[in-house]
Amino acid sequence: MPVRSAHEASDEGNTMTEQKTATLSFDGKTIELPILSPSVGPDVIDIRKLYAQGHVFTYDPGFTSTASCDSTITYIDGDEGVLLHRGYPIDQLASQSHYLEVCYLLMYGELPTAAQLEAFETTITRHTMIHEQMHNFFRGFRRDAHPMATMVGVVGAMSAFYHDSTDVNDQKQREIAAHRLIAKMPTIAAMAYKYSIGQPFVYPRNDLDYAANFLHMCFSVPAEKYNVDPILARAMDRIFTLHADHEQNASTSTVRLASSSGANPFACIAAGIACLWGPAHGGANQACLEMLKEIGTVDRIPEFIARAKDKNDPFRLMGFGHRVYKNMDPRATVMKESADEVLELLGVENNPLLQVAKELEHIALNDPYFIEKKLFPNVDFYSGIILEAMGFPTSMFTPIFALSRTVGWISQWKEQFADPQMKIGRPRQLYLGSTYRDYVDVENR
Ligand code: CMC
């Protein structure tokens, strides 16, 4: 299948020899719509000229059948349970690569040479500190603020503290903003955590790698020496890698939409963090662990399965189901292995939550409701168990997802700027409200 991007295809128009088209007939009109072929995956009907030619819109709430952009970063085959970053499968990246190398791959398109990787790691490491005055900004939050609330605010405020990298039309400034965001996000997440538990902020250490440094900033205290366990640092790194990007999900689309207006990168990433927070998206890892705790023991699982199946009960099995995956989420497979490793290392392999999770997974995967609806465990199902075993409170689960996903948001944002077709995102609607009516004075209503 030819590899063409949407803009190449549109430049060629209908004169292209292999151009496939779809025909749409309605109201006595017939419209030919070009079909674009991806490098892999389903074809896409190009409806950009539909309104101009047919004076109709398409209707697709939730974007279940709509491609919002073309991209070369991440590919998902939801039916087969495949996730590729720049072509490389996630299980290979999770086992053979590491987070900062995956960041480079996502941002620049190829695996780095040794020299490129070293230069990139040095750049990121040297940007991990935040502006000292931002400490005062943190102190303005209530002590019991959810770390995600703090992160939305602090990352948005980076546009005030790093104003010299907010000009999105300047390629150099865009690059600096990208590096700053990837480098400072762990510092910000760790500070949000430290603030919420009343401990002093811990400065980053340049001799530690990205994941180890995050554990150091979260768990060390000035009063005593803290040694990062390399196996836990590796597990942390793997969690970052598994969350790094996931093509046009809700938060990534939010970042792209916010950025389409020309908003600065810090504001756009803050918008992405806000979107990620919801329990249907990144907030599911916190909600999943809370659910496992609520279930508590294996004998209560049938009660919760029954609730999940009950149309009159809003309860859903958190960590189950996905808009795109109609098969096992490949990230969940790696996460499950990691959970076993980490819990064994910490000597808590009989963790009751893990027992509940494994049994719940087994029962759900054999239940006709879940089989018929193709509901499989997703990435959030096992991540919370690992994070809790490492010592993180549930409120930190989504901030960890946010810091991991920052590179995905940034890479997609960067790609959007390189796209000559970039224009402000502006969906249309199916209006069902009142038609024209005259204003009525309050005394006459
Ligand atoms: N438990 C019980 N039933 C479910 C679940 C679930 N977790 N998920 C979907 N369903 C049912 C749903 O009730 C619906 O049934 P029906 O067709 O009879 O109305 C059917 O499956 C399809 O669900 P949907 O809501 O139309 O599917 P969606 O693609 O809009 O939603 C989802 C995807 C991830 C929001 C949803 O599966 C869900 O709420 N899962 C729980 C939350 C969760 O784990 N989210 C993390 C997603 S992965 C990480 C990330 O993206 O951030």
Side-chain angles (χ1 to χ4, degrees):
M1 213 176 257
V3 182
R4 290 181 292 115
S5 68
H7 46 90
E8 281 168 337
S10 86
D11 289 347
E12 289 160 357
N14 288 339
T15 57
M16 223 163 48
T17 46
E18 84 273 30
Q19 178 75 70
K20 289 195 276 179
T21 56
T23 307
L24 181 66
S25 300
F26 62 98
D27 287 349
K29 292 180 239 180
T30 298
I31 296 175
E32 291 286 312
L33 297 165
I35 295 182
L36 309 177
S37 298
S39 47
V40 57
D43 282 349
V44 171
I45 301 174
D46 179 353
I47 57 162
R48 282 174 292 177
K49 302 221 168 88
L50 182 61
Y51 181 64
Q53 291 175 358
H55 210 72
V56 285
F57 299 139
T58 55
Y59 182 62
D60 186 17
F63 300 105
T64 54
S65 303
T66 299
S68 59
C69 60
D70 54 295
S71 180
T72 60
I73 302 174
T74 292
Y75 172 72
I76 301 174
D77 182 333
D79 294 327
E80 296 296 323
V82 170
L83 168 61
L84 309 177
H85 291 320
R86 304 287 191 185
Y88 298 102
I90 190 65
D91 56 320
Q92 288 184 22
L93 293 173
S95 60
Q96 295 169 47
S97 181
H98 62 272
Y99 183 67
L100 278 188
E101 185 174 68
V102 172
C103 288
Y104 186 99
L105 174 70
L106 289 168
M107 280 182 70
Y108 302 108
E110 294 296 336
L111 287 169
T113 62
Q116 286 168 333
L117 182 60
E118 193 189 337
F120 182 67
E121 288 182 335
T122 303
T123 303
I124 297 302
T125 306
R126 297 260 162 86
H127 280 89
T128 47
M129 276 175 45
I130 61 164
H131 195 293
E132 196 64 14
Q133 255 175 277
M134 285 178 82
H135 291 220
N136 301 331
F137 192 79
F138 270 95
R139 293 184 210 286
F141 286 96
R142 272 174 63 133
R143 197 56 87 175
D144 59 357
H146 193 289
M148 281 300 275
T150 310
M151 283 187 77
V152 173
V154 172
V155 173
M158 284 177 79
S159 38
F161 290 98
Y162 299 101
H163 192 72
D164 61 348
S165 52
T166 52
D167 180 356
V168 292
N169 297 315
D170 180 334
Q171 198 273 335
K172 182 80 187 146
Q173 289 199 30
R174 292 206 302 268
E175 192 74 358
I176 293 170
H179 290 159
R180 280 176 168 160
L181 277 158
I182 293 167
K184 294 180 202 305
M185 203 61 91
T187 314
I188 291 170
M191 287 174 75
Y193 171 52
K194 285 296 197 189
Y195 185 73
S196 72
I197 55 170
Q199 288 187 4
F201 297 137
V202 174
Y203 286 90
R205 265 178 49 187
N206 285 3
D207 61 319
L208 296 175
D209 67 35
Y210 194 85
N213 180 48
F214 178 63
L215 293 175
H216 153 75
M217 290 188 293
C218 287
F219 296 125
S220 73
V221 288
E224 61 187 52
K225 196 166 162 44
Y226 172 78
N227 290 320
V228 183
D229 186 315
I231 299 182
L232 290 188
R234 177 76 191 115
M236 188 80 258
D237 189 272
R238 195 174 290 165
I239 288 178
F240 292 162
T241 301
L242 290 174
H243 288 90
D245 190 49
H246 215 225
E247 51 117 311
Q248 310 311 320
N249 56 82
S251 57
T252 302
S253 299
T254 300
V255 171
R256 279 189 180 255
L257 193 57
S259 148
S260 75
S261 73
N264 77 69
F266 306 109
C268 296
I269 300 300
I273 296 172
C275 176
L276 185 80
W277 195 358
H281 194 5
N285 52 14
Q286 172 169 351
C288 179
L289 199 88
E290 285 164 359
M291 176 194 77
L292 293 175
K293 283 183 175 164
E294 197 190 340
I295 297 175
T297 48
V298 167
D299 58 302
R300 293 193 65 207
I301 291 174
E303 179 195 327
F304 284 82
I305 295 269
R307 284 186 61 196
K309 294 180 346 189
D310 182 355
K311 279 264 159 263
N312 300 316
D313 188 330
F315 173 80
R316 282 187 169 200
L317 222 47
M318 300 313 288
F320 263 80
H322 197 276
R323 168 61 61 79
V324 182
Y325 293 119
K326 302 302 167 199
N327 201 325
M328 192 78 180
D329 178 341
R331 301 167 302 172
T333 312
V334 182
M335 204 65 92
K336 186 177 180 180
E337 284 166 22
S338 223
D340 283 331
E341 271 169 38
V342 170
L343 267 53
E344 192 186 332
L345 171 81
L346 296 171
V348 285
E349 58 269 47
N350 292 325
N351 177 320
L353 292 183
L354 187 66
Q355 306 311 321
V356 172
K358 285 191 170 169
E359 190 57 23
L360 182 63
E361 179 186 336
H362 176 74
I363 294 177
L365 290 180
N366 289 291
D367 187 295
Y369 173 93
F370 290 85
I371 295 171
E372 190 192 305
K373 295 190 189 302
K374 299 187 175 161
L375 298 170
F376 291 84
N378 59 49
V379 69
D380 291 322
F381 191 64
Y382 282 104
S383 62
I385 294 173
I386 308 180
L387 292 172
E388 191 186 61
M390 283 174 148
F392 288 104
T394 48
S395 61
M396 276 303 286
F397 295 0
T398 317
I400 289 170
F401 193 157
L403 90 81
S404 320
R405 182 55 58 84
T406 296
V407 68
W409 294 328
I410 287 289
S411 305
Q412 303 268 349
W413 169 81
K414 214 167 160 272
E415 181 176 71
Q416 189 179 13
F417 271 95
D419 183 349
Q421 301 185 107
M422 174 171 154
K423 51 166 74 179
I424 188 164
R426 205 319 186 171
R428 307 306 293 249
Q429 64 173 3
L430 170 63
Y431 178 69
L432 298 174
S434 304
T435 54
Y436 181 94
R437 48 184 172 162
D438 285 321
Y439 178 78
V440 181
D441 289 334
V442 69
E443 59 273 17
N444 297 324
R445 285 174 214 160

mmCIF file with all atom_site columns, all heavy atoms in Angstrom, residues 218-236:
data_model
loop_
_atom_site.group_PDB
_atom_site.id
_atom_site.type_symbol
_atom_site.label_atom_id
_atom_site.label_alt_id
_atom_site.label_comp_id
_atom_site.label_asym_id
_atom_site.label_entity_id
_atom_site.label_seq_id
_atom_site.pdbx_PDB_ins_code
_atom_site.Cartn_x
_atom_site.Cartn_y
_atom_site.Cartn_z
_atom_site.occupancy
_atom_site.B_iso_or_equiv
_atom_site.pdbx_formal_charge
_atom_site.auth_seq_id
_atom_site.auth_comp_id
_atom_site.auth_asym_id
_atom_site.auth_atom_id
_atom_site.pdbx_PDB_model_num
ATOM 1   N N   . CYS A 1 218 ? 10.952 12.140 45.035 1.00 0.00 ? 218 CYS A N   1
ATOM 2   C CA  . CYS A 1 218 ? 9.704  11.795 45.748 1.00 0.00 ? 218 CYS A CA  1
ATOM 3   C C   . CYS A 1 218 ? 9.987  11.246 47.146 1.00 0.00 ? 218 CYS A C   1
ATOM 4   O O   . CYS A 1 218 ? 9.254  11.545 48.085 1.00 0.00 ? 218 CYS A O   1
ATOM 5   C CB  . CYS A 1 218 ? 8.913  10.743 44.966 1.00 0.00 ? 218 CYS A CB  1
ATOM 6   S SG  . CYS A 1 218 ? 8.139  11.387 43.494 1.00 0.00 ? 218 CYS A SG  1
ATOM 7   N N   . PHE A 1 219 ? 11.038 10.415 47.269 1.00 0.00 ? 219 PHE A N   1
ATOM 8   C CA  . PHE A 1 219 ? 11.146 9.633  48.505 1.00 0.00 ? 219 PHE A CA  1
ATOM 9   C C   . PHE A 1 219 ? 12.318 10.003 49.407 1.00 0.00 ? 219 PHE A C   1
ATOM 10  O O   . PHE A 1 219 ? 12.394 9.515  50.531 1.00 0.00 ? 219 PHE A O   1
ATOM 11  C CB  . PHE A 1 219 ? 11.190 8.135  48.178 1.00 0.00 ? 219 PHE A CB  1
ATOM 12  C CG  . PHE A 1 219 ? 9.915  7.653  47.539 1.00 0.00 ? 219 PHE A CG  1
ATOM 13  C CD1 . PHE A 1 219 ? 9.912  6.998  46.318 1.00 0.00 ? 219 PHE A CD1 1
ATOM 14  C CD2 . PHE A 1 219 ? 8.687  7.893  48.159 1.00 0.00 ? 219 PHE A CD2 1
ATOM 15  C CE1 . PHE A 1 219 ? 8.729  6.569  45.723 1.00 0.00 ? 219 PHE A CE1 1
ATOM 16  C CE2 . PHE A 1 219 ? 7.500  7.471  47.568 1.00 0.00 ? 219 PHE A CE2 1
ATOM 17  C CZ  . PHE A 1 219 ? 7.524  6.812  46.357 1.00 0.00 ? 219 PHE A CZ  1
ATOM 18  N N   . SER A 1 220 ? 13.253 10.822 48.933 1.00 0.00 ? 220 SER A N   1
ATOM 19  C CA  . SER A 1 220 ? 14.346 11.142 49.859 1.00 0.00 ? 220 SER A CA  1
ATOM 20  C C   . SER A 1 220 ? 13.943 12.330 50.726 1.00 0.00 ? 220 SER A C   1
ATOM 21  O O   . SER A 1 220 ? 13.086 13.135 50.345 1.00 0.00 ? 220 SER A O   1
ATOM 22  C CB  . SER A 1 220 ? 15.636 11.426 49.097 1.00 0.00 ? 220 SER A CB  1
ATOM 23  O OG  . SER A 1 220 ? 15.569 12.665 48.471 1.00 0.00 ? 220 SER A OG  1
ATOM 24  N N   . VAL A 1 221 ? 14.556 12.401 51.886 1.00 0.00 ? 221 VAL A N   1
ATOM 25  C CA  . VAL A 1 221 ? 14.345 13.535 52.799 1.00 0.00 ? 221 VAL A CA  1
ATOM 26  C C   . VAL A 1 221 ? 15.730 14.036 53.211 1.00 0.00 ? 221 VAL A C   1
ATOM 27  O O   . VAL A 1 221 ? 16.696 13.255 53.209 1.00 0.00 ? 221 VAL A O   1
ATOM 28  C CB  . VAL A 1 221 ? 13.531 13.126 54.059 1.00 0.00 ? 221 VAL A CB  1
ATOM 29  C CG1 . VAL A 1 221 ? 12.080 12.868 53.709 1.00 0.00 ? 221 VAL A CG1 1
ATOM 30  C CG2 . VAL A 1 221 ? 14.140 11.925 54.762 1.00 0.00 ? 221 VAL A CG2 1
ATOM 31  N N   . PRO A 1 222 ? 15.847 15.321 53.561 1.00 0.00 ? 222 PRO A N   1
ATOM 32  C CA  . PRO A 1 222 ? 17.178 15.848 53.893 1.00 0.00 ? 222 PRO A CA  1
ATOM 33  C C   . PRO A 1 222 ? 17.803 15.152 55.096 1.00 0.00 ? 222 PRO A C   1
ATOM 34  O O   . PRO A 1 222 ? 19.024 15.118 55.226 1.00 0.00 ? 222 PRO A O   1
ATOM 35  C CB  . PRO A 1 222 ? 16.908 17.327 54.215 1.00 0.00 ? 222 PRO A CB  1
ATOM 36  C CG  . PRO A 1 222 ? 15.561 17.628 53.674 1.00 0.00 ? 222 PRO A CG  1
ATOM 37  C CD  . PRO A 1 222 ? 14.796 16.356 53.623 1.00 0.00 ? 222 PRO A CD  1
ATOM 38  N N   . ALA A 1 223 ? 16.991 14.533 55.958 1.00 0.00 ? 223 ALA A N   1
ATOM 39  C CA  . ALA A 1 223 ? 17.516 13.991 57.210 1.00 0.00 ? 223 ALA A CA  1
ATOM 40  C C   . ALA A 1 223 ? 18.350 12.732 57.043 1.00 0.00 ? 223 ALA A C   1
ATOM 41  O O   . ALA A 1 223 ? 19.145 12.387 57.911 1.00 0.00 ? 223 ALA A O   1
ATOM 42  C CB  . ALA A 1 223 ? 16.345 13.718 58.165 1.00 0.00 ? 223 ALA A CB  1
ATOM 43  N N   . GLU A 1 224 ? 18.158 12.003 55.967 1.00 0.00 ? 224 GLU A N   1
ATOM 44  C CA  . GLU A 1 224 ? 18.946 10.769 55.817 1.00 0.00 ? 224 GLU A CA  1
ATOM 45  C C   . GLU A 1 224 ? 19.210 10.436 54.358 1.00 0.00 ? 224 GLU A C   1
ATOM 46  O O   . GLU A 1 224 ? 18.526 10.941 53.451 1.00 0.00 ? 224 GLU A O   1
ATOM 47  C CB  . GLU A 1 224 ? 18.234 9.590  56.500 1.00 0.00 ? 224 GLU A CB  1
ATOM 48  C CG  . GLU A 1 224 ? 16.879 9.259  55.952 1.00 0.00 ? 224 GLU A CG  1
ATOM 49  C CD  . GLU A 1 224 ? 16.174 8.202  56.803 1.00 0.00 ? 224 GLU A CD  1
ATOM 50  O OE1 . GLU A 1 224 ? 16.077 8.378  58.037 1.00 0.00 ? 224 GLU A OE1 1
ATOM 51  O OE2 . GLU A 1 224 ? 15.717 7.211  56.216 1.00 0.00 ? 224 GLU A OE2 1
ATOM 52  N N   . LYS A 1 225 ? 20.201 9.571  54.171 1.00 0.00 ? 225 LYS A N   1
ATOM 53  C CA  . LYS A 1 225 ? 20.607 9.193  52.815 1.00 0.00 ? 225 LYS A CA  1
ATOM 54  C C   . LYS A 1 225 ? 19.537 8.271  52.204 1.00 0.00 ? 225 LYS A C   1
ATOM 55  O O   . LYS A 1 225 ? 18.982 7.433  52.912 1.00 0.00 ? 225 LYS A O   1
ATOM 56  C CB  . LYS A 1 225 ? 21.946 8.461  52.904 1.00 0.00 ? 225 LYS A CB  1
ATOM 57  C CG  . LYS A 1 225 ? 22.680 8.336  51.603 1.00 0.00 ? 225 LYS A CG  1
ATOM 58  C CD  . LYS A 1 225 ? 24.130 7.914  51.866 1.00 0.00 ? 225 LYS A CD  1
ATOM 59  C CE  . LYS A 1 225 ? 24.815 7.339  50.636 1.00 0.00 ? 225 LYS A CE  1
ATOM 60  N NZ  . LYS A 1 225 ? 24.609 8.051  49.396 1.00 0.00 ? 225 LYS A NZ  1
ATOM 61  N N   . TYR A 1 226 ? 19.280 8.460  50.938 1.00 0.00 ? 226 TYR A N   1
ATOM 62  C CA  . TYR A 1 226 ? 18.309 7.595  50.253 1.00 0.00 ? 226 TYR A CA  1
ATOM 63  C C   . TYR A 1 226 ? 18.998 6.956  49.057 1.00 0.00 ? 226 TYR A C   1
ATOM 64  O O   . TYR A 1 226 ? 19.548 7.649  48.199 1.00 0.00 ? 226 TYR A O   1
ATOM 65  C CB  . TYR A 1 226 ? 17.107 8.432  49.790 1.00 0.00 ? 226 TYR A CB  1
ATOM 66  C CG  . TYR A 1 226 ? 16.136 7.691  48.899 1.00 0.00 ? 226 TYR A CG  1
ATOM 67  C CD1 . TYR A 1 226 ? 15.218 6.783  49.426 1.00 0.00 ? 226 TYR A CD1 1
ATOM 68  C CD2 . TYR A 1 226 ? 16.127 7.896  47.509 1.00 0.00 ? 226 TYR A CD2 1
ATOM 69  C CE1 . TYR A 1 226 ? 14.319 6.104  48.600 1.00 0.00 ? 226 TYR A CE1 1
ATOM 70  C CE2 . TYR A 1 226 ? 15.233 7.222  46.691 1.00 0.00 ? 226 TYR A CE2 1
ATOM 71  C CZ  . TYR A 1 226 ? 14.338 6.332  47.236 1.00 0.00 ? 226 TYR A CZ  1
ATOM 72  O OH  . TYR A 1 226 ? 13.455 5.661  46.416 1.00 0.00 ? 226 TYR A OH  1
ATOM 73  N N   . ASN A 1 227 ? 19.007 5.638  49.028 1.00 0.00 ? 227 ASN A N   1
ATOM 74  C CA  . ASN A 1 227 ? 19.593 4.946  47.880 1.00 0.00 ? 227 ASN A CA  1
ATOM 75  C C   . ASN A 1 227 ? 18.470 4.421  46.998 1.00 0.00 ? 227 ASN A C   1
ATOM 76  O O   . ASN A 1 227 ? 17.585 3.710  47.474 1.00 0.00 ? 227 ASN A O   1
ATOM 77  C CB  . ASN A 1 227 ? 20.455 3.765  48.346 1.00 0.00 ? 227 ASN A CB  1
ATOM 78  C CG  . ASN A 1 227 ? 21.713 4.265  49.033 1.00 0.00 ? 227 ASN A CG  1
ATOM 79  O OD1 . ASN A 1 227 ? 22.318 5.242  48.597 1.00 0.00 ? 227 ASN A OD1 1
ATOM 80  N ND2 . ASN A 1 227 ? 22.074 3.621  50.135 1.00 0.00 ? 227 ASN A ND2 1
ATOM 81  N N   . VAL A 1 228 ? 18.523 4.799  45.722 1.00 0.00 ? 228 VAL A N   1
ATOM 82  C CA  . VAL A 1 228 ? 17.481 4.342  44.799 1.00 0.00 ? 228 VAL A CA  1
ATOM 83  C C   . VAL A 1 228 ? 17.774 2.892  44.427 1.00 0.00 ? 228 VAL A C   1
ATOM 84  O O   . VAL A 1 228 ? 18.879 2.577  43.979 1.00 0.00 ? 228 VAL A O   1
ATOM 85  C CB  . VAL A 1 228 ? 17.458 5.212  43.523 1.00 0.00 ? 228 VAL A CB  1
ATOM 86  C CG1 . VAL A 1 228 ? 16.331 4.780  42.612 1.00 0.00 ? 228 VAL A CG1 1
ATOM 87  C CG2 . VAL A 1 228 ? 17.337 6.682  43.865 1.00 0.00 ? 228 VAL A CG2 1
ATOM 88  N N   . ASP A 1 229 ? 16.776 2.031  44.617 1.00 0.00 ? 229 ASP A N   1
ATOM 89  C CA  . ASP A 1 229 ? 16.935 0.629  44.217 1.00 0.00 ? 229 ASP A CA  1
ATOM 90  C C   . ASP A 1 229 ? 16.894 0.559  42.684 1.00 0.00 ? 229 ASP A C   1
ATOM 91  O O   . ASP A 1 229 ? 15.906 0.994  42.073 1.00 0.00 ? 229 ASP A O   1
ATOM 92  C CB  . ASP A 1 229 ? 15.790 -0.194 44.825 1.00 0.00 ? 229 ASP A CB  1
ATOM 93  C CG  . ASP A 1 229 ? 15.967 -1.687 44.569 1.00 0.00 ? 229 ASP A CG  1
ATOM 94  O OD1 . ASP A 1 229 ? 16.299 -2.051 43.428 1.00 0.00 ? 229 ASP A OD1 1
ATOM 95  O OD2 . ASP A 1 229 ? 15.766 -2.463 45.509 1.00 0.00 ? 229 ASP A OD2 1
ATOM 96  N N   . PRO A 1 230 ? 17.968 0.035  42.054 1.00 0.00 ? 230 PRO A N   1
ATOM 97  C CA  . PRO A 1 230 ? 17.990 0.036  40.576 1.00 0.00 ? 230 PRO A CA  1
ATOM 98  C C   . PRO A 1 230 ? 16.836 -0.756 39.962 1.00 0.00 ? 230 PRO A C   1
ATOM 99  O O   . PRO A 1 230 ? 16.365 -0.428 38.866 1.00 0.00 ? 230 PRO A O   1
ATOM 100 C CB  . PRO A 1 230 ? 19.333 -0.585 40.226 1.00 0.00 ? 230 PRO A CB  1
ATOM 101 C CG  . PRO A 1 230 ? 19.899 -1.137 41.487 1.00 0.00 ? 230 PRO A CG  1
ATOM 102 C CD  . PRO A 1 230 ? 19.185 -0.532 42.641 1.00 0.00 ? 230 PRO A CD  1
ATOM 103 N N   . ILE A 1 231 ? 16.351 -1.784 40.673 1.00 0.00 ? 231 ILE A N   1
ATOM 104 C CA  . ILE A 1 231 ? 15.242 -2.572 40.090 1.00 0.00 ? 231 ILE A CA  1
ATOM 105 C C   . ILE A 1 231 ? 13.959 -1.733 40.119 1.00 0.00 ? 231 ILE A C   1
ATOM 106 O O   . ILE A 1 231 ? 13.176 -1.728 39.158 1.00 0.00 ? 231 ILE A O   1
ATOM 107 C CB  . ILE A 1 231 ? 15.062 -3.916 40.822 1.00 0.00 ? 231 ILE A CB  1
ATOM 108 C CG1 . ILE A 1 231 ? 16.358 -4.710 40.675 1.00 0.00 ? 231 ILE A CG1 1
ATOM 109 C CG2 . ILE A 1 231 ? 13.869 -4.691 40.254 1.00 0.00 ? 231 ILE A CG2 1
ATOM 110 C CD1 . ILE A 1 231 ? 16.356 -6.075 41.292 1.00 0.00 ? 231 ILE A CD1 1
ATOM 111 N N   . LEU A 1 232 ? 13.783 -0.962 41.192 1.00 0.00 ? 232 LEU A N   1
ATOM 112 C CA  . LEU A 1 232 ? 12.596 -0.094 41.237 1.00 0.00 ? 232 LEU A CA  1
ATOM 113 C C   . LEU A 1 232 ? 12.714 1.031  40.212 1.00 0.00 ? 232 LEU A C   1
ATOM 114 O O   . LEU A 1 232 ? 11.727 1.421  39.580 1.00 0.00 ? 232 LEU A O   1
ATOM 115 C CB  . LEU A 1 232 ? 12.417 0.499  42.643 1.00 0.00 ? 232 LEU A CB  1
ATOM 116 C CG  . LEU A 1 232 ? 11.985 -0.484 43.736 1.00 0.00 ? 232 LEU A CG  1
ATOM 117 C CD1 . LEU A 1 232 ? 11.648 0.251  45.015 1.00 0.00 ? 232 LEU A CD1 1
ATOM 118 C CD2 . LEU A 1 232 ? 10.796 -1.321 43.290 1.00 0.00 ? 232 LEU A CD2 1
ATOM 119 N N   . ALA A 1 233 ? 13.946 1.542  40.043 1.00 0.00 ? 233 ALA A N   1
ATOM 120 C CA  . ALA A 1 233 ? 14.142 2.605  39.044 1.00 0.00 ? 233 ALA A CA  1
ATOM 121 C C   . ALA A 1 233 ? 13.823 2.057  37.649 1.00 0.00 ? 233 ALA A C   1
ATOM 122 O O   . ALA A 1 233 ? 13.205 2.747  36.822 1.00 0.00 ? 233 ALA A O   1
ATOM 123 C CB  . ALA A 1 233 ? 15.576 3.118  39.098 1.00 0.00 ? 233 ALA A CB  1
ATOM 124 N N   . ARG A 1 234 ? 14.208 0.820  37.401 1.00 0.00 ? 234 ARG A N   1
ATOM 125 C CA  . ARG A 1 234 ? 13.919 0.202  36.092 1.00 0.00 ? 234 ARG A CA  1
ATOM 126 C C   . ARG A 1 234 ? 12.398 0.040  35.911 1.00 0.00 ? 234 ARG A C   1
ATOM 127 O O   . ARG A 1 234 ? 11.860 0.296  34.836 1.00 0.00 ? 234 ARG A O   1
ATOM 128 C CB  . ARG A 1 234 ? 14.635 -1.162 36.027 1.00 0.00 ? 234 ARG A CB  1
ATOM 129 C CG  . ARG A 1 234 ? 14.379 -1.945 34.780 1.00 0.00 ? 234 ARG A CG  1
ATOM 130 C CD  . ARG A 1 234 ? 15.157 -1.389 33.585 1.00 0.00 ? 234 ARG A CD  1
ATOM 131 N NE  . ARG A 1 234 ? 14.694 -1.988 32.331 1.00 0.00 ? 234 ARG A NE  1
ATOM 132 C CZ  . ARG A 1 234 ? 14.089 -1.327 31.348 1.00 0.00 ? 234 ARG A CZ  1
ATOM 133 N NH1 . ARG A 1 234 ? 13.873 -0.037 31.422 1.00 0.00 ? 234 ARG A NH1 1
ATOM 134 N NH2 . ARG A 1 234 ? 13.716 -1.953 30.245 1.00 0.00 ? 234 ARG A NH2 1
ATOM 135 N N   . ALA A 1 235 ? 11.728 -0.381 36.999 1.00 0.00 ? 235 ALA A N   1
ATOM 136 C CA  . ALA A 1 235 ? 10.262 -0.543 36.913 1.00 0.00 ? 235 ALA A CA  1
ATOM 137 C C   . ALA A 1 235 ? 9.597  0.814  36.684 1.00 0.00 ? 235 ALA A C   1
ATOM 138 O O   . ALA A 1 235 ? 8.645  0.933  35.898 1.00 0.00 ? 235 ALA A O   1
ATOM 139 C CB  . ALA A 1 235 ? 9.731  -1.185 38.194 1.00 0.00 ? 235 ALA A CB  1
ATOM 140 N N   . MET A 1 236 ? 10.125 1.841  37.336 1.00 0.00 ? 236 MET A N   1
ATOM 141 C CA  . MET A 1 236 ? 9.576  3.188  37.154 1.00 0.00 ? 236 MET A CA  1
ATOM 142 C C   . MET A 1 236 ? 9.759  3.632  35.704 1.00 0.00 ? 236 MET A C   1
ATOM 143 O O   . MET A 1 236 ? 8.847  4.161  35.066 1.00 0.00 ? 236 MET A O   1
ATOM 144 C CB  . MET A 1 236 ? 10.322 4.143  38.111 1.00 0.00 ? 236 MET A CB  1
ATOM 145 C CG  . MET A 1 236 ? 9.781  5.542  38.205 1.00 0.00 ? 236 MET A CG  1
ATOM 146 S SD  . MET A 1 236 ? 8.339  5.642  39.280 1.00 0.00 ? 236 MET A SD  1
ATOM 147 C CE  . MET A 1 236 ? 7.033  5.706  38.112 1.00 0.00 ? 236 MET A CE  1
#
